Amino acid sequence: MKLPIADAATTWAYTRALLRANRREFLLIATLTMLSSLAGLVGPWLLGRLVDDARAGTTAGHVRDLVLVAVVAILARGVVQKIAQQRAMVFGESVFAAMREEFLDTVTALPLSTVERAGTGDLVARTTNDVAKIQNAVRFGVPQLTVSVVTILLTVVACLVMAPLVAVAMFVGMPLLLTVVRWYLRRAPDAYQAESATYASLNGTVTESVEGVRAVDALDLGGRRNDRSDADIAAAYTAEMRTLGLRTVLFPGVDLTFVIAPVAVLVWGGFLASQGTVTMGAVTALVMYTFQLTGPVWNLVFWLDEMSVAAVSLARIIGVRLVPTDRAASGATPAEDGGMEARGVRYAYREGHDVLHGIDLDLRPGERLAIVGPSGAGKSTFGRMLAGIHPPTGGSVTVGGVPLVDLPLEELRRRVALVTQEHHVFVGTVADNLRLADVGASDERLRDALAAVDALTWVDDLEQGIETEVGSGGVTLTPAQAQQVALARLVLLDPDVLVLDEATSLLDPRAARHLERSLAAVLHGRTVVAIAHRLHTAHDADRVAVVEDGRITELGAHDDLVAAGGSYAALWHSWQHE
Ligand code: ADP
């Protein structure tokens, strides 16, 4: 399942809104361009006059005057063009910056379940390849298209005004040009879309191979992963060849019209001049104008091509905005001191394959509950339901009487947070990493949070304490240290309910137990759900829930469960003898 792609109408509406939001700047650029194009028309016109005047007999003074006017026009054009280009660049940059920020907001707010299902490759391709592809179109394309269109229109109008009969010949290449360009633009979007898609899967394959390198090594999957990359590369190659094929028709076709047009104007104009219908000067000017059109027309075709590529990328980027949210805040406010209740919770990753079969559980405010059970039983899945990461596919998890997924995300995070074994150290200082949870936290609070997870000692031993740069390019934290940082973030976040999914698994058992105890002291009064494979966590908890095959099979205090002699008792005894 891929992320959605916006249709043409949506993409176009988005582009129009973007331009409308920047209308004034856009009009200013168009006006400046118009002035510079007008100045550009002066040269050929003067040359035409010079030809006519020379034939009629003229003075050196008159020629000098005309040359002077031409120089002034060229200088004026240079100045106006510089200003227009500067404005256009600033315009392109600010529009692109705004788009990028908006895109980032969209991506970070995507429902996790959708991202997981679509695979990260698609999203990575959209945030890298596609953004890169629209970048030039927005930065240069919009300004360049404006310049080309304005210049072409003004030049054609000037020709029609000056000598309409001769100007007709300018359009002789048009049928060819239009045919080729239409042929191309009809095929281009699909071809480029296919090309982008092949890169998305190539990206996915490479990313997965790299991220799963241990599994690939262990299972000796190297050959298969290579074959898959080769197949992806072959597909990308085919797609590239197809778009290249399109361009090999476009480019010569357009070039040919540039050869035909001035020749036609010269021959037709020459004939008319010989008949005395027009002056040689007018023909000279029009041939020059026709030559001058080459640049803007090429620019137009080039940017239309780039724009059709960019439009595909834009559709993919806007598509990310179309991902339906997996929840909608209902506006209901939970009772402040209400506990958490799971009722008949079911979940299926794939339709028809429930991994949770209707779990009921009441969490008492302030209690510490351990969840244990065999691997694959559904503990993590249930933990994600308790943290409101996914809406359950059946039943509900409520806090203070309101389903978790009916809460606005901010409110949800204040209520309940999840820490898993997967942790990420962000590039920045230790303090930056912690302040993600609480932007305004004082250094003192950060240190308290680190102390609560037994991390203050090693952080203070770092060269610059909490101001030490960590993550890629900085000090590399051990997985256990990264886990502690993640837990310290949770302490700062201070939600009512904490779900810890093997959150101390990377620490050695003794350190883990010590950490859990100091954490418990800090989190006094908070509800803690700890999914654990080390049974000391269960031993220290108020209650233990045993999950087997998507159901809670035993629930009670450690001593009671051991006395009852069920699965937990068996687990406990075998763990003790490990
Ligand atoms: P536990 O935490 O008890 O080991 P999990 O909740 O991780 O169990 O997994 C429960 C079941 O759901 C397993 O059969 C597992 O294969 C399946 N499962 C877990 N995550 C996914 C996923 N992202 N997509 C499909 N199936 C999954």
Side-chain angles (χ1 to χ4, degrees):
M1 204 206 78
K2 296 265 184 213
L3 296 170
I5 293 173
D7 60 12
T10 315
T11 311
W12 183 231
Y14 178 84
T15 312
R16 270 206 321 260
L18 206 64
L19 286 181
R20 205 171 319 127
N22 298 281
R23 189 171 33 198
R24 278 182 52 186
E25 191 61 22
F26 183 72
L27 284 180
L28 178 69
I29 295 166
T31 311
L32 287 171
T33 308
M34 203 166 335
L35 288 178
S36 109
S37 301
L38 279 175
L41 294 176
V42 172
W45 176 70
L46 284 176
L47 194 68
R49 273 200 57 181
L50 211 55
V51 169
D52 284 345
D53 292 349
R55 280 164 65 93
T58 185
T59 62
H62 181 63
V63 174
R64 199 192 49 217
D65 287 349
L66 289 187
V67 170
L68 215 65
V69 176
V71 169
V72 170
I74 290 170
L75 287 180
R77 182 177 194 202
V79 172
V80 178
Q81 209 168 31
K82 180 176 154 49
I83 300 173
Q85 257 170 19
Q86 228 163 27
R87 303 297 293 234
M89 292 297 283
V90 173
F91 170 80
E93 282 307 329
S94 28
V95 170
F96 184 57
M99 281 180 71
R100 219 167 23 183
E101 272 171 27
E102 198 193 295
F103 182 55
L104 193 66
D105 284 345
T106 313
V107 170
T108 46
L110 276 182
L112 253 168
S113 49
T114 313
V115 178
E116 283 180 353
R117 225 171 307 142
T120 42
D122 194 12
L123 194 59
V124 169
R126 291 186 196 213
T127 47
T128 53
N129 287 2
D130 289 317
V131 168
K133 275 186 181 160
I134 64 160
Q135 158 172 337
N136 276 345
V138 178
R139 279 183 175 155
F140 311 116
V142 176
Q144 288 288 342
L145 271 182
T146 316
V147 171
S148 307
V149 170
V150 169
T151 312
I152 293 169
L153 282 180
L154 283 180
T155 310
V156 170
V157 168
C159 292
L160 287 172
V161 168
M162 202 178 283
L165 262 184
V166 185
V168 177
M170 290 173 72
F171 301 105
V172 54
M174 281 295 269
L176 176 63
L177 185 70
L178 288 182
T179 312
V180 170
V181 171
R182 252 181 61 147
W183 177 90
Y184 175 82
L185 289 181
R186 275 219 181 132
R187 286 158 181 78
D190 282 346
Y192 287 113
Q193 184 111 46
E195 194 185 288
S196 285
T198 60
Y199 278 110
S201 43
L202 179 60
N203 251 323
T205 305
V206 173
T207 314
E208 279 164 14
S209 299
V210 172
E211 280 177 356
V213 66
R214 290 217 175 81
V216 170
D217 252 0
L219 302 175
D220 197 18
L221 294 175
R224 251 197 269 171
R225 297 304 298 179
N226 266 342
D227 290 346
R228 193 146 160 206
S229 307
D230 285 348
D232 284 344
I233 290 170
Y237 177 83
T238 313
E240 284 266 14
M241 285 305 278
R242 167 132 188 265
T243 59
L244 185 64
L246 294 179
R247 288 193 293 272
T248 52
V249 171
L250 175 75
F251 291 172
V254 174
D255 258 340
L256 193 59
T257 61
F258 292 148
V259 181
I260 296 173
V263 174
V265 172
L266 188 61
V267 172
W268 175 238
F271 169 73
L272 289 177
S274 72
Q275 302 293 303
T277 322
V278 294
T279 65
M280 277 310 282
V283 177
T284 311
L286 257 67
V287 171
M288 296 278 292
Y289 282 146
T290 314
F291 268 122
Q292 272 193 6
L293 278 179
T294 309
V297 171
W298 239 139
N299 230 358
L300 181 68
V301 173
F302 175 79
W303 281 110
L304 279 182
D305 177 28
E306 291 280 303
M307 287 304 203
S308 75
V309 179
V312 171
S313 290
L314 187 62
R316 290 164 53 79
I317 287 171
I318 299 174
V320 178
R321 292 155 41 111
L322 304 180
V323 172
T325 50
D326 61 354
R327 66 191 73 209
S330 66
T333 22
E336 239 349 283
D337 52 0
M340 205 161 176
E341 292 179 1
R343 283 286 167 274
V345 171
R346 298 180 164 275
Y347 192 75
Y349 289 97
R350 283 175 301 139
E351 211 158 310
H353 294 82
D354 280 2
V355 297
L356 302 179
H357 306 281
I359 294 187
D360 295 315
L361 180 68
D362 285 346
L363 287 174
R364 303 169 194 146
E367 83 165 320
R368 283 151 36 80
L369 175 89
I371 299 182
V372 299
S375 155
K379 301 182 298 293
S380 295
T381 308
F382 184 53
R384 293 162 76 92
M385 303 290 121
L386 287 179
I389 305 281
H390 296 294
T393 35
S396 66
V397 182
T398 57
V399 60
V402 177
L404 287 181
V405 289
D406 282 2
L407 297 175
L409 268 182
E410 300 245 312
E411 167 81 9
L412 175 64
R413 289 292 156 259
R414 196 174 65 73
R415 294 283 184 163
V416 44
L418 170 77
V419 172
T420 67
Q421 299 178 63
E422 295 163 33
H423 40 259
H424 184 75
V425 178
F426 293 88
V427 174
T429 62
V430 174
D432 292 338
N433 266 282
L434 295 176
R435 287 205 173 97
L436 288 172
D438 181 357
V439 178
S442 64
D443 286 1
E444 201 50 43
R445 270 205 74 200
L446 300 189
R447 294 174 61 81
D448 288 347
L450 287 169
V453 296
D454 291 347
L456 193 56
T457 327
W458 64 256
V459 170
D460 276 342
D461 282 347
L462 295 174
E463 198 127 320
Q464 280 149 313
I466 58 169
E467 295 305 331
T468 309
E469 293 279 339
V470 292
S472 176
V475 173
T476 308
L477 299 186
T478 65
Q481 289 173 332
Q483 208 161 42
Q484 283 171 303
V485 170
L487 284 168
R489 260 203 295 264
L490 197 65
V491 172
L492 287 165
L493 201 59
D494 194 25
D496 299 342
V497 179
L498 295 83
V499 182
L500 310 179
D501 186 354
E502 314 237 319
T504 56
S505 59
L506 299 170
L507 282 83
D508 68 69
R510 193 185 301 256
R513 189 163 200 187
H514 192 267
L515 187 160
E516 280 169 21
R517 286 189 170 156
S518 66
L519 195 59
V522 173
L523 296 175
H524 191 70
R526 302 288 178 238
T527 312
V528 178
V529 177
I531 298 169
H533 67 282
R534 289 183 184 133
L535 291 196
H536 66 71
T537 310
H539 175 264
D540 293 349
D542 299 322
R543 283 197 300 168
V544 180
V546 181
V547 173
E548 286 169 309
D549 194 22
R551 294 183 177 80
I552 292 185
T553 50
E554 292 175 26
L555 181 64
H558 167 84
D559 292 338
D560 296 344
L561 290 186
V562 171
S567 321
Y568 180 73
L571 264 176
W572 174 252
H573 292 307
S574 73
W575 190 69
Q576 292 230 300
H577 294 112
E578 251 179 31

